[in-house]
Amino acid sequence: MNQYDDTDILLAEDNEHDAEMAMRAFKRHNFANRLHWVKDGVEALDFILCRDTYANRDRARLPKVLLLDLKMPRMDGLDVLRALKGDERTHAIPVVIMTSSDQERDVVESYRLGVNGYVTKPVEFAAFTEVVAKIGMFWLLVNRVPGAV
Amino acid sequence: MPTLRKQASLVVGVPLLVIFLALLGIGWLVRETESSETLTQRAERLRFNTSELFQALLDAESGVRGYALTKDPSFLGAYHDEVRLIPGLIDSVRGGPSALAPAGRPRATAIAAAARVELGLLAKKIRDVDAGDGSALQIDLLAGKQNMDRIRTLAHELEDNVRMRLNQRVAEYEANKLRLGIAVGVAALLAAVAVFVTLGLFMSTVANRLAKVVARTARIAIGDDLLPPSRRPDEIGQLDRAVSEMGARLRRQSADLLRRNEQLLGVNKDLESFSYSVSHDLRSPVRAVLGYSRILEEDYGESLDDEGRRLLSVVQKEATRMGLLIDHLLELSRLGRGELQGAQINMEALVRDVVRELTEPCEPGTVEVEIGTLPDAYGDKTQLRQVWQNLISNAVKYSNREEHPVVWIGGTLEDGEAVYQVRDNGVGFDMQYADKLFGVFQRLHRNEDFPGTGVGLAIVHKVVSRHGGRVWAESSPGSGATFSFALPAALPAEAHR
């Protein structure tokens, strides 16, 4: 069994501080060991499609939620979203945009592409922690995805 | 330069000329009538002269006859009288018909000759009587009688000649009169036709050319006029060139405007991507500062002394303020762009909603908010909600330290404008700084006294201005402040974009 195979949360975030804070929040709620952090859109797709570094990953095991930042180097969040929702193998993966941007056009475009949730990262740490915890709770404990037992 | 006015004068001039010629014809006819009257008078005089001559000869003859019978010389008195008159009469008879009746001329000459013969005969008769030659007298008397008969016959013939000639001339004149009448009638008809034809041609040309100018203006109206203008030098040509020039200028200007608009759109896009970057990139470090200072506090708070914790709390407070500033700036820039979603707004419901939102977190009874009747207005509900939020939260904030803070909200309808007021009994401000109130980052109070970013009223000003309204404030220190704004009460004729 591959080290990535029990990943439930895939976090795509280029800002290491945001990533660290998010992971700290998940850790506090004991989701941290099921989280994997990728630093841009290309790596996110590599992970899901089992390419490159992730070639040995079990293709059948998909994350229960992808937390996707919008502005990332190489391939941004909207491109990743477009690729995933346009691909029959991956379009069922729940994707939640988690970004600093509260620009209306980003929200509109994300939903047009079929996003499952859109969350603006609060600047205040307490609020940020709370939002991250709620996301983890819902998508990992409450939500049901196809094929899961 | 063949101007329309000259063409128009031609249109009037041609018929006028025709009418003038007709008048000339009538004048000639009148003169003809006059000359024919003179003719009649002269014919009358000739007949009179002829009969005078004949009578004079008769009188002279009867005088001679009396002398022959009586030998009394007193009979010759009448003879001598007449003989003196007769040569003059002879001359006038001979010259009489000259231009009048050329055919009568030989007869007049013959009458004159016969009259002279008669004068000779009369003189000879007197000589015969004086000589006592009876037989010669007999012969001369007979000759005289024959001569007189001849004169009478000639006189009749002359009169006939003249009368015939006269009748002929009158007939000619009548015929001429008819001809001229017809000619004048035809001329008048021609003049009328000329007027109608030239005027009609002129008008239809003018109308056709004007219609072309009208068509050009229609093309200009839809921005599609590329036909070259008329080159004719008259007024319509000038008009067409002027309209064409106007259209060309409009086209240039609208192309200019379009280009400038595109530039502005570009600038706007730059601004938008700028604010997008600000939104995304400026927030992250603030969040990091806040987050890590919180982590520091959570993980190492206990190993810090009081001063260390105070310093950490300053970092957190200022970072929070920075985050707020960024949010408010973004809000301000967002409100300046994009289209207003215009609708008729139930202001009272909106204000009650905002007031409930703002006062719910407060302890009940801390701030008393009175809402009067508020007229409806036309505008963007989301943005106007922001205006109310900022004004009411300001009123609450600045009156909060009073013993009985009261915020009063009211409105009136004035000249199609809805005017709203938010009044508080708080600290107020000095009117000499009133012009700074609505500027970005302009504050009249220290952050320690009343926290704020100095963007709220700038947002109010921006939103109200974009709605075509006005905003103003009145106050004096310690006696509260009244903020007012006016909006169009109904849909404006030209929707704001």
Side-chain angles (χ1 to χ4, degrees):
Chain A
M1 186 161 156
N2 193 281
Q3 54 166 322
Y4 306 115
D5 283 352
D6 55 357
T7 298
D8 285 332
I9 303 170
L10 184 62
L11 173 67
E13 169 66 76
D14 65 316
N15 185 316
E16 55 178 312
H17 303 308
D18 278 1
E20 189 183 342
M21 284 188 285
M23 288 189 284
R24 186 180 167 95
F26 281 124
K27 193 192 262 171
R28 189 175 286 178
H29 294 89
N30 302 316
F31 300 128
N33 53 345
R34 293 150 79 182
L35 180 144
H36 180 70
W37 170 35
V38 291
K39 292 190 174 68
D40 61 46
V42 175
E43 204 186 335
L45 284 184
D46 284 350
F47 181 96
I48 291 167
L49 299 173
C50 305
R51 294 186 308 211
D52 205 20
T53 326
Y54 305 102
N56 298 322
R57 209 179 63 77
D58 181 359
R59 192 175 289 269
R61 288 191 60 93
L62 293 171
K64 287 186 175 171
V65 64
L66 166 61
L67 299 180
L68 189 59
D69 189 17
L70 279 184
K71 209 176 157 199
M72 291 185 293
R74 296 209 284 175
M75 189 175 191
D76 73 15
L78 289 178
D79 287 338
V80 174
L81 182 63
R82 195 176 292 113
L84 292 178
K85 293 297 177 185
D87 188 332
E88 210 178 307
R89 296 168 294 171
T90 57
H91 79 268
I93 301 172
V95 180
V96 175
I97 299 282
M98 202 164 78
T99 174
S100 297
S101 165
D102 60 353
Q103 299 277 309
E104 185 66 13
R105 61 168 188 184
D106 283 340
V107 181
V108 171
E109 182 64 9
S110 298
Y111 277 99
R112 199 184 66 78
L113 292 173
V115 81
N116 302 81
Y118 191 106
V119 176
T120 306
K121 293 179 204 164
V123 172
E124 230 283 310
F125 183 66
F128 180 77
T129 310
E130 194 187 327
V131 163
V132 169
K134 278 181 179 166
I135 292 170
M137 294 286 262
F138 179 78
W139 290 105
L140 265 60
L141 303 181
V142 180
N143 190 47
R144 187 182 179 276
V145 289
V149 185
Chain B
M1 198 155 74
T3 60
L4 274 186
R5 199 167 299 152
K6 280 183 184 166
Q7 288 180 31
S9 65
L10 206 67
V11 168
V12 178
V14 168
L16 271 182
L17 189 71
V18 174
I19 290 167
F20 176 71
L21 288 176
L23 279 177
L24 272 185
I26 291 166
W28 185 72
L29 177 73
V30 169
R31 237 187 61 193
E32 271 294 289
T33 317
E34 276 173 1
S35 68
S36 112
E37 272 168 10
T38 338
L39 207 70
T40 317
Q41 280 169 9
R42 281 165 67 187
E44 206 56 44
R45 194 157 61 241
L46 178 62
R47 197 165 55 193
F48 176 77
N49 285 342
T50 311
S51 73
E52 277 292 285
L53 174 63
F54 190 71
Q55 197 59 49
L57 287 172
L58 274 183
D59 288 352
E61 208 266 338
S62 72
V64 171
R65 194 184 300 268
Y67 177 64
L69 285 176
T70 60
K71 308 282 197 282
D72 184 351
S74 67
F75 278 100
L76 286 177
Y79 165 74
H80 288 303
D81 287 348
E82 300 301 337
V83 163
R84 265 200 307 281
L85 289 173
I86 283 168
L89 290 169
I90 288 173
D91 283 349
S92 61
V93 167
R94 195 179 51 202
S98 58
L100 186 64
R105 215 173 284 154
R107 287 184 178 80
T109 314
I111 290 170
R116 272 195 210 92
V117 168
E118 186 60 28
L119 279 177
L121 277 174
L122 288 172
K124 191 158 178 294
K125 280 177 202 167
I126 294 166
R127 279 198 305 277
D128 286 344
V129 173
D130 290 344
D133 189 345
S135 59
L137 182 64
Q138 281 302 311
I139 291 164
D140 289 339
L141 277 172
L142 192 64
K145 185 187 176 300
Q146 282 172 345
N147 196 35
M148 283 304 279
D149 287 346
R150 185 172 139 73
I151 287 172
R152 187 185 290 117
T153 311
L154 281 169
H156 282 308
E157 282 177 5
L158 177 62
E159 201 184 325
D160 285 349
N161 269 336
V162 168
R163 186 176 299 125
M164 228 169 70
R165 180 63 189 147
L166 204 61
N167 286 344
Q168 194 186 342
R169 290 295 288 267
V170 167
E172 273 173 15
Y173 158 70
E174 287 295 331
N176 269 349
K177 200 164 81 171
L178 187 68
R179 254 202 309 277
L180 267 164
I182 290 168
V184 167
V186 167
L189 201 69
L190 276 177
V193 169
V195 167
F196 278 112
V197 169
T198 51
L199 201 65
L201 273 175
F202 178 68
M203 289 306 284
S204 76
T205 316
V206 167
N208 284 342
R209 292 177 58 207
L210 277 177
K212 281 186 186 164
V213 180
V214 169
R216 184 184 294 288
T217 60
R219 284 198 303 275
I220 287 173
I222 58 166
D224 181 34
D225 178 43
L226 294 169
L227 287 185
S230 161
R231 286 194 195 164
R232 290 170 68 169
D234 61 13
E235 287 89 338
I236 296 180
Q238 289 168 13
L239 176 67
D240 197 40
R241 280 192 296 283
V243 168
S244 173
E245 171 61 29
M246 196 171 76
R249 185 166 297 179
L250 264 176
R251 202 164 53 240
R252 279 197 300 275
Q253 282 174 348
S254 69
D256 265 10
L257 277 178
L258 223 67
R259 201 166 45 244
R260 238 171 270 176
N261 202 25
E262 262 163 31
Q263 286 171 355
L264 278 178
L265 280 178
V267 169
N268 210 19
K269 218 175 166 133
D270 288 350
L271 270 175
E272 211 168 311
S273 60
F274 169 76
S275 83
Y276 183 81
S277 305
V278 167
S279 145
H280 203 279
D281 297 342
L282 236 57
R283 269 195 182 133
S284 286
V286 174
R287 187 168 47 249
V289 171
L290 275 173
Y292 281 84
S293 65
R294 184 71 65 193
I295 293 169
L296 183 65
E297 190 191 1
E298 283 175 3
D299 292 1
Y300 301 95
E302 292 186 357
S303 49
L304 287 173
D305 62 4
D306 283 354
E307 180 60 7
R309 277 194 291 275
R310 188 187 71 81
L311 293 175
L312 197 56
S313 81
V314 171
V315 170
Q316 285 172 351
K317 212 175 89 187
E318 289 308 304
T320 307
R321 191 168 138 70
M322 175 107 183
L324 214 60
L325 269 171
I326 292 169
D327 286 351
H328 287 182
L329 261 185
L330 281 172
E331 188 63 33
L332 181 65
S333 102
R334 198 202 328 271
L335 288 172
R337 296 192 314 269
E339 287 193 18
L340 295 178
Q341 305 295 321
Q344 202 65 28
I345 301 167
N346 180 346
M347 237 9 142
E348 256 179 59
L350 178 65
V351 168
R352 280 182 202 288
D353 210 31
V354 170
V355 167
R356 191 168 51 244
E357 255 175 36
L358 287 173
T359 53
E360 244 167 25
C362 302
E363 281 175 41
T366 42
V367 181
E368 190 182 334
V369 181
E370 290 173 17
I371 303 173
T373 45
L374 299 175
D376 290 354
Y378 185 86
D380 184 311
K381 195 171 175 181
T382 316
Q383 299 205 358
L384 289 175
R385 168 186 278 272
Q386 185 76 51
V387 166
W388 283 113
Q389 260 168 5
N390 293 1
L391 288 178
I392 297 170
S393 63
N394 269 3
V396 170
K397 180 164 76 183
Y398 289 105
S399 62
N400 214 5
R401 294 190 186 170
E402 306 302 313
E403 206 169 329
H404 298 290
V406 179
V407 174
W408 178 86
I409 300 163
T412 49
L413 204 59
E414 291 169 19
D415 295 334
E417 256 187 348
V419 181
Y420 303 100
Q421 263 135 18
V422 179
R423 188 161 63 218
D424 64 64
N425 59 349
V427 290
F429 60 88
D430 191 336
M431 276 302 273
Q432 66 170 306
Y433 304 119
D435 59 326
K436 290 190 170 176
L437 272 177
F438 299 100
V440 187
F441 296 140
Q442 297 281 355
R443 300 210 60 212
L444 301 185
H445 298 279
R446 297 192 311 155
N447 200 44
E448 285 81 359
D449 298 338
F450 295 98
T453 56
V455 181
L457 287 179
I459 288 175
V460 167
H461 184 258
K462 191 160 214 168
V463 170
V464 172
S465 297
R466 288 194 81 204
H467 278 77
R470 298 164 289 130
V471 57
W472 65 99
E474 289 150 304
S475 177
S476 57
S479 64
T482 305
F483 283 81
S484 313
F485 65 101
L487 293 174
L491 177 68
E494 192 103 2
H496 288 279
R497 285 190 164 260

